């Protein structure tokens, strides 16, 4: 039997610098991992992209392929968006598909592909009224949102610990999504 395929999408939040931990954890659980990044996250990890591509065995993607080009990734069994910024969460909930990552996850809702999102925002961002509305919209669209107790808990601005981001929670939720 082929390994299930996880699309792991990282956004430009500090834990993205540790996304290799999530990749290795998912691979240890038997996943084939395809890594996608928002354009800013791609810029942050620029020098590490070859290493990450080698780790996954697939090209790291951040933009749409050209019409007529074959897709270099297998179909997803699950899509995990972590760390998910306020910007990505809000765009996704509002259907603003200006980036490839948001376009893929917006379409995945309609394709009924299991989706897991784990935000990474500080307490100040979390106070914005659109953020809670966006989380509710995504939950209403059957996206498993790991935020608050049992998920990512916001920190005070400037007091984050990106190395302690709870990747294991996103990986566990992805595993659970295959059982349902």
């Amino acid at each position: 039997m082929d390994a299930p395929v996880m699309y792991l999408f990282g956004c430009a939040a500090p834990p993205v610098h540790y996304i290799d931990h999530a990749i290795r954890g998912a691979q240890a659980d038997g996943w084939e991992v395809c890594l996608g990044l928002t354009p800013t996250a791609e810029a942050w990890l620029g020098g590490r992209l070859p290493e990450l591509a080698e780790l996954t065995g697939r090209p790291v993607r951040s933009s749409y392929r050209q019409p007529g080009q074959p897709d270099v990734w297998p179909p997803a069994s699950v899509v995990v968006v972590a760390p998910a910024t306020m910007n990505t969460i809000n765009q996704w909930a509002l259907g603003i598909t200006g980036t490839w990552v948001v376009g893929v996850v917006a379409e995945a809702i309609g394709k009924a592909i299991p989706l897991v999102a784990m935000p990474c925002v500080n307490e100040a961002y979390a106070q914005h009224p659109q953020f809670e509305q966006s989380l509710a919209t995504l939950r209403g669209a059957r996206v498993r949102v790991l935020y608050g107790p049992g998920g990512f808990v916001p920190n005070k601005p400037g007091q984050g610990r990106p190395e302690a981001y709870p990747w294991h929670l996103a990986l566990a939720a992805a595993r659970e999504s295959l059982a349902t």
Side-chain angles (χ1 to χ4, degrees):
M1 184 169 131
D2 291 335
V5 176
M6 175 188 294
Y7 286 9
L8 176 59
F9 289 165
C11 304
V16 79
H17 291 287
Y18 299 90
I19 205 158
D20 58 307
H21 297 193
I23 294 167
R24 286 186 179 90
Q27 290 171 332
D29 279 349
W31 291 94
E32 178 177 349
V33 181
C34 298
L35 178 61
L37 300 169
T38 61
T40 303
E42 179 186 48
W44 284 12
L45 297 177
R48 294 186 57 208
L49 296 178
E51 163 203 336
L52 294 168
E54 184 176 334
L55 180 60
T56 64
R58 301 274 178 186
V60 177
R61 294 186 59 189
S62 64
S63 61
Y64 291 99
R65 60 185 165 86
Q66 293 296 314
Q69 282 185 328
D71 198 338
V72 296
W73 285 5
S77 306
V78 66
V79 181
V80 175
V81 185
T85 60
M86 181 173 129
N87 186 48
T88 294
I89 292 290
N90 288 340
Q91 287 181 1
W92 184 7
L94 294 170
I96 301 170
T97 59
T99 66
W100 175 75
V101 163
V102 176
V104 172
V105 294
E107 187 176 34
I109 290 171
K111 290 180 172 180
I113 297 170
L115 292 155
V116 175
M118 189 161 59
C120 181
V121 297
N122 65 38
E123 289 176 352
Y125 279 127
Q127 297 304 309
H128 193 283
Q130 183 58 51
F131 184 66
E132 279 298 328
Q133 290 176 10
S134 293
L135 295 177
T137 296
L138 294 176
R139 287 180 175 126
R142 298 177 314 281
V143 175
R144 175 112 181 248
V145 178
L146 304 173
Y147 180 75
F152 179 80
V153 178
N155 50 274
K156 294 188 183 319
Q159 294 183 11
R161 293 187 41 236
E163 71 285 354
Y165 187 71
W167 294 108
H168 66 284
L169 298 176
L171 299 179
R175 198 175 321 109
E176 291 168 10
S177 75
L178 291 185
T180 56

